[in-house]
Amino acid sequence: PAYGRALTFAVLEPDYNEELRRFISVEELTSHVLAEEELQKMPELWKQATATVQVAAANEAGQSAWAIHSVTLSRATPFSFC
């Protein structure tokens, strides 16, 4: 971003799935919708063709190394963490 540093836009946590009747672990999460409404503080982001996304796991013991992905910004193409 124009700020020159990574900005947190989401914290992924286990989520309850009604259909499966159980919590879905973070390991099972394979995608995340990057919604313009959630990123009001970064209006310039949507004027770019791509964005760099950094993903890390964290818990009480610490944080993993960052996994860095280049993402094409398109309203029709979902981004998957693969």
Side-chain angles (χ1 to χ4, degrees), residues 14-67:
D15 193 23
Y16 190 77
N17 183 308
E18 291 284 339
E19 186 176 307
L20 298 175
R21 295 184 175 170
R22 66 177 177 88
F23 280 92
I24 302 299
S25 70
V26 173
E27 290 80 19
E28 293 176 275
L29 297 176
T30 58
S31 65
H32 181 74
V33 175
L34 186 61
E36 188 172 0
E37 297 82 30
E38 296 172 7
L39 300 172
Q40 295 293 323
K41 294 181 180 180
M42 292 188 271
E44 298 298 313
L45 175 68
W46 305 105
K47 296 178 183 176
Q48 304 175 149
T50 62
T52 300
V53 178
Q54 296 176 285
V55 181
N59 62 21
E60 299 82 25
Q63 178 178 304
S64 70
W66 290 101

